[in-house]
Amino acid sequence: MDYLKFGSSILAVLAFSVIGFQAVSVVKNMGSYISTNGLSDKVVDSDEVVLTISVRNDADVLKEISEKRKKEKDILIDFLTKNGIQNSEIDRIYCDIEENYDYSAASKSDKKKYKTLDKISIKSSRVEDIKKLSGDLSKLVDEGLCVCFEIEYYYKDMDKLRIEMLEEATKDSMNRAERIAE
């Protein structure tokens, strides 16, 4: 009798029975737990708003743009102060100037040499007032300004809200798991 073959056969049988036992216990455990996700939903009011107003211009001579920009800036600042915006709420005033490099004969008569984009950012905690102001910006078009705007709303107490919502989601998940288990 070959003891080596006999010993390896016994080891193989033992190994397969241990693996088979573990497979059976894994299958038994698969049905003994439930995985659920909890949900939490909240609507919050923003507590800060940023309104960016852009005024576009174009001209062939920079001096022309400069005079027009100054006049339009005065009109815009006057409009903002009449609508309750304080100097402390004006966050930034900046200007981008680009030169048109399209000098083809077909479009040369249509295009101006320079383009400007003046931007004024207003940052405030008076969300409703700024929202109303953004609706009134179309009045500036009547005064000859080429105006467009972008409004962004922020909520600053997100950490506190996140903790509350995680608690609600955990409770919801536990309720779902209990209902499924029943």
Side-chain angles (χ1 to χ4, degrees):
M1 183 184 223
D2 191 4
Y3 290 109
L4 188 59
K5 286 183 183 178
F6 180 70
S8 61
S9 300
I10 290 182
L11 280 174
V13 168
L14 284 173
F16 285 123
S17 42
V18 168
I19 291 172
F21 177 74
Q22 286 179 348
V24 168
S25 70
V26 168
V27 170
K28 281 172 70 177
N29 284 339
M30 285 179 77
S32 66
Y33 71 91
I34 297 171
S35 175
T36 61
N37 291 328
L39 301 175
S40 178
D41 206 4
K42 276 196 187 240
V43 176
V44 295
D45 293 327
S46 59
D47 51 11
E48 188 173 77
V49 64
V50 175
L51 173 66
T52 304
I53 304 168
S54 302
V55 180
R56 298 180 189 280
N57 277 305
D58 57 357
D60 286 322
V61 180
L62 279 176
K63 186 171 177 131
E64 224 177 271
I65 290 179
S66 179
E67 292 167 0
K68 191 174 181 184
R69 283 183 54 238
K70 182 178 180 344
K71 180 182 167 190
E72 289 177 347
K73 181 181 171 189
D74 292 342
I75 291 170
L76 183 58
I77 296 294
D78 184 51
F79 176 81
L80 293 174
T81 53
K82 283 181 181 175
N83 283 284
I85 301 299
Q86 300 156 3
N87 286 336
S88 61
E89 293 176 314
I90 296 176
D91 192 35
R92 295 185 297 177
I93 300 176
Y94 52 98
C95 176
D96 291 329
I97 299 175
E98 288 183 21
E99 186 174 357
N100 281 335
Y101 291 107
D102 185 12
Y103 297 118
S104 64
S107 64
K108 196 171 187 181
S109 61
D110 299 342
K111 301 253 182 178
K112 301 290 184 178
K113 189 172 181 181
Y114 298 101
K115 295 187 294 186
T116 64
L117 183 65
D118 288 293
K119 292 185 178 185
I120 294 181
S121 289
I122 299 163
K123 189 177 193 179
S124 177
S125 60
R126 298 181 303 132
V127 177
E128 288 303 316
D129 294 340
I130 301 299
K131 187 177 180 181
K132 182 185 176 303
L133 174 68
S134 69
D136 294 338
L137 285 174
S138 61
K139 294 176 184 175
L140 290 170
V141 175
D142 297 337
E143 296 191 38
L145 273 70
C146 180
V147 177
C148 57
F149 71 93
E150 180 180 322
I151 191 163
E152 299 173 46
Y153 297 96
Y154 295 97
Y155 181 71
K156 294 190 280 186
D157 205 9
M158 190 60 91
D159 291 336
K160 181 181 173 187
L161 181 66
R162 185 178 292 125
I163 291 169
E164 290 173 9
M165 291 181 75
L166 280 172
E167 287 174 6
E168 288 176 16
T170 302
K171 289 176 186 174
D172 182 56
S173 177
M174 291 172 70
N175 288 338
R176 287 174 185 226
E178 288 172 2
R179 280 187 268 145
I180 291 171
E182 288 173 359

